Amino acid sequence: MTPPFSKHRKRSATVSLALVAGAGTTALVLGQVDPTQREEDVLVYPGPDACVSAAIRTEADCRRDYAIVRQAYPEAAPRYGSLPECEAHHGPAHCLTGAVVAASATGRFVPMLAGYLLGRRPDQGLPPQPIYHHRPEQAAHAHAGHGGYCTSWGGRVVTASGGTSSSARVASSAVRQASFGGFGRTGRGFSSHGSSGHGGG
Amino acid sequence: MRRLAVGERPDWRGTARAHGFTFHTIDGAPYWDESHAYAFTLEEIERDIEGPSAELHALCLAFVARAVEDERILASLAIPEHAWDAVRDSWRRGDPSLYGRLDLAYGGAGTGPAKLLEYNADTPTALYETGVFQWLWLEEMLATGRLPPGSDQFNAVHEHLIDRFRRMPGDGTLCLTAYADAPEDRGTVAYLEDCARQAGLATRFLDLAEIGLSGDGRFIDPAHAPIATLFKLYPWEWAFADAFGGALRDTPTRFLEPPWKAVLSNKGALVHLHAMEPGHPNLLAAYFEDDPQAACLGGAYVRKPLHSREGANVRMVRDGRVLADLPGPYDREGFIRQALAPMPAFDGRHALVGSWIVGDAAAGLCIREAEGPVTTDAAVFVPHLIEAP
């Protein structure tokens, strides 16, 4: 057994550390471009009647989803510290004093509800959500009237051709909200010494 | 294999500070102990540890290949059903692994073959101490004439890690995560980050709580930038049970260790390995506790939970008498019974041999020494050397 494993030395020739010993510092930008980004088809309507008359989703779906969105809007809408700040994002005359919308928005400014967004197919499982105008004056110049919207957390939604079309193909991440803090809880539950848990062993 | 009183280097704490070894003392108790060292012959290392370790790892891979195609095996390991696809897909895609540590009962030439106690294949620590500080110890002991010229060490862990990172597929980036407030874990991850950078990867560390999940199923950083590859010093069984556990199946994010390591970092694997190779010289007989065959171990066995770290919930029985019964939180998922391999004792201390696998190669070893027969988090790290021929 011996010869196949034998080498002259059984240990590393050199061991050096770049970070710990402070020998090197690197500021690196991790890749932001993501070629595998997923996309999906969504529908955008100013209200339930437009959704019903388009007849892509059922009338029941259109009305149920709109009711969900109306209920979510007061708390879901983004908040701004000043009117100019809100209008810079959502366009002149597209913002309201917060107190009108929700008690929690008192003293702040929120965009008006521009409509709602739902999945093109029920099996997408996409939660319906409120949408807001996104710099409408800029969109009008750049895209000749293409509808520019954003979601409550700033995801961009641009409809295909002109304000009358309701279809958009969007990055999934624009219409499905990210969440944080979903790792670590189980291990904290195993912390047996009254201090922090740890995962190594 | 001998235990030698070699004496501490006068300024080893200063050396530790200079090399970022911040956890040599944990909660006031020593963790690094260089008053003694273990000395091996080259033959003991190569014939009894290095060779069998590579062979055991290969056997483990053969077991994973079998396990992912057999739902009864996955169920026997208490891997939750919602995680099966993540485990299977990571194996079928060939997601590479980085490292693991085989824990062996071994007492030196003439005491019989090393016996596999368990494979910490998912979140092993003691890596930095092995690869760097133990190596520095040997170099300084040689340089100051306190060890005979020609003394060596089985320890190419550092080189192997950098080489393995160099060969990793992906986009050249690596995120690393752990509990940032657990010093030993944080130290291990800092070391791995260092190795990854030396291999040319763009790295950064995120606390576990900073990891996010985008609406389209990829793991993201706090700025919502997608994470292509995530090293996590966080056991798979915990990740599976977390809120993000359900997202592991479809995510394009890749992991180190890959999800298939959950098959090996599980004491149930010891039962299946023994069933595959019942006569293997390095394997101990092992059975699930509810298997009537477990009775054949009689009154000499070790009862271990499927998942546990650092000896928690381990019960050791000899001649029908309980020698040790450690408390812990890991008592809900079932147990195995493994034939008792008496831990060799040197000057009344028990030494556990940790044999590192990096990639698929046996790369080095570390020794943890404990007063009691079960190696717990109170066990100290003791350096080793290979005696000059």
Side-chain angles (χ1 to χ4, degrees):
Chain A
M1 287 288 276
T2 301
F5 298 105
S6 276
K7 281 186 238 154
H8 185 59
R9 264 163 83 105
K10 302 296 288 182
R11 69 183 190 278
S12 301
T14 56
V15 169
S16 63
L17 297 176
L19 299 172
V20 179
T25 52
T26 4
L28 293 154
V29 180
L30 294 172
Q32 304 273 341
V33 180
D34 188 0
T36 62
Q37 181 153 279
R38 294 172 195 180
E39 295 186 326
E40 56 193 299
D41 292 314
V42 299
L43 302 169
V44 176
Y45 301 110
D49 293 340
C51 177
V52 172
S53 60
I56 298 173
R57 296 289 299 270
T58 66
E59 175 167 0
D61 285 357
C62 288
R63 299 206 185 278
R64 182 204 55 210
D65 283 3
Y66 189 71
I68 292 170
V69 165
R70 281 299 321 187
Q71 201 176 353
Y73 162 70
E75 294 302 325
R79 269 66 167 150
Y80 296 90
S82 70
L83 186 61
E85 211 185 318
C86 183
E87 291 189 332
H89 278 90
H90 302 287
H94 284 93
C95 290
L96 302 165
T97 1
V100 175
V101 177
S104 64
T106 305
R108 320 260 293 175
F109 295 85
V110 300
M112 289 162 58
L113 185 66
Y116 72 130
L117 175 151
L118 60 169
R120 189 172 186 91
R121 300 181 322 276
D123 64 8
Q124 281 169 261
L126 180 69
Q129 55 199 283
I131 50 165
Y132 316 93
H133 288 292
H134 184 85
R135 298 185 180 170
E137 78 291 357
Q138 208 182 70
H141 289 283
H143 303 291
H146 291 198
Y149 302 97
C150 60
T151 65
S152 296
W153 56 91
R156 292 298 316 278
V157 177
V158 179
T159 53
S161 58
T164 52
S165 170
S166 59
S167 300
R169 168 150 271 237
V170 297
S172 277
S173 55
V175 292
R176 292 180 190 266
Q177 192 166 13
S179 56
F180 286 85
F183 277 141
R185 200 182 161 91
T186 306
R188 295 289 187 202
F190 277 94
S191 167
S192 53
H193 310 293
S195 59
S196 64
H198 63 112
Chain B
M1 179 180 181
R2 303 186 294 148
R3 185 175 190 262
L4 304 176
V6 289
E8 295 185 351
R9 290 165 292 166
D11 189 31
W12 71 263
R13 285 177 183 79
T15 307
R17 212 168 21 250
H19 290 86
F21 186 17
T22 53
F23 49 99
H24 56 72
T25 305
I26 297 176
D27 296 333
Y31 166 58
W32 170 266
D33 181 352
E34 61 173 63
S35 61
H36 292 74
Y38 282 85
F40 295 82
T41 65
L42 183 61
E43 191 182 35
E44 286 174 327
I45 292 290
E46 295 187 334
R47 181 197 59 200
D48 296 344
I49 296 172
E50 184 178 13
S53 294
E55 201 181 296
L56 284 169
H57 176 71
L59 182 64
C60 285
L61 295 183
F63 166 58
V64 178
R66 183 181 295 197
V68 297
E69 303 302 337
D70 188 337
E71 295 185 348
R72 287 166 306 175
I73 295 180
L74 296 177
S76 75
L77 302 175
I79 296 174
E81 214 171 317
H82 73 261
W84 289 359
D85 281 335
V87 170
R88 287 192 276 241
D89 293 347
S90 69
W91 175 259
R92 290 173 185 157
R93 271 196 310 262
D95 288 4
S97 64
L98 179 62
Y99 79 128
R101 193 191 67 230
L102 295 158
D103 285 342
L104 305 172
Y106 177 68
T111 64
K115 298 288 189 186
L116 176 66
L117 299 178
E118 62 181 73
Y119 192 1
N120 195 334
D122 187 15
T123 61
T125 51
L127 184 68
Y128 165 84
E129 304 89 289
T130 300
V132 179
F133 206 66
Q134 174 179 239
W135 184 91
L136 281 169
W137 168 84
L138 186 87
E139 293 292 328
E140 289 194 8
M141 294 292 276
L142 282 170
T144 53
R146 297 178 61 179
L147 288 176
S151 302
D152 199 359
Q153 195 172 69
F154 179 32
N155 187 8
V157 165
H158 185 77
E159 282 175 355
H160 275 85
L161 284 171
I162 293 173
D163 185 60
R164 187 70 174 171
F165 276 125
R166 233 176 236 136
R167 294 162 194 270
M168 282 288 162
D171 65 353
T173 68
L174 180 70
C175 263
L176 302 98
T177 190
Y179 285 126
D181 59 357
E184 195 184 344
D185 289 5
R186 185 68 190 90
T188 300
V189 173
Y191 172 54
L192 282 167
E193 181 172 9
D194 200 299
C195 292
R197 282 211 184 178
Q198 293 189 51
L201 298 177
T203 66
R204 76 194 144 151
F205 177 82
L206 295 173
D207 181 49
L208 266 169
E210 292 180 292
I211 307 289
L213 179 66
S214 73
D216 64 342
R218 65 198 59 224
F219 290 95
I220 54 176
D221 73 5
H224 292 234
I227 296 169
T229 307
L230 181 64
F231 173 91
K232 41 101 229 149
L233 196 70
Y234 185 70
W236 274 120
E237 68 270 15
W238 291 355
F240 293 155
D242 276 338
F244 283 168
L248 292 162
R249 191 187 72 170
D250 293 323
T251 184
T253 301
R254 295 291 168 259
F255 292 89
L256 288 174
E257 298 299 313
W260 60 259
K261 279 291 192 90
V263 170
L264 295 176
S265 196
N266 184 307
K267 309 302 187 294
L270 299 164
V271 174
H272 293 287
L273 290 171
H274 172 250
M276 281 169 72
E277 298 264 348
H280 197 289
N282 302 111
L283 292 175
L284 293 161
Y287 305 94
F288 288 106
E289 191 169 57
D290 57 5
D291 179 349
Q293 285 191 86
C296 78
L297 298 176
Y301 62 87
V302 181
R303 176 185 188 255
K304 301 176 174 182
L306 293 186
H307 299 110
S308 93
R309 270 160 284 282
E310 298 175 322
N313 297 95
V314 167
R315 178 187 298 163
M316 189 175 274
V317 177
R318 192 176 65 200
D319 304 327
R321 245 169 19 90
V322 175
L323 289 187
D325 195 1
L326 278 81
Y330 303 101
D331 52 358
R332 296 200 196 123
E333 283 175 349
F335 293 85
I336 69 155
R337 286 188 187 189
Q338 185 182 43
L340 179 67
M343 289 296 289
F346 297 83
D347 306 329
R349 310 270 294 175
H350 297 275
L352 175 75
V353 172
S355 179
W356 292 99
I357 301 292
V358 180
D360 295 318
L365 73 81
C366 63
I367 306 248
R368 294 290 297 275
E369 199 187 71
E371 278 177 35
V374 179
T375 306
T376 67
D377 57 359
V380 293
F381 189 112
V382 178
H384 82 277
L385 62 118
I386 303 172
E387 295 188 76

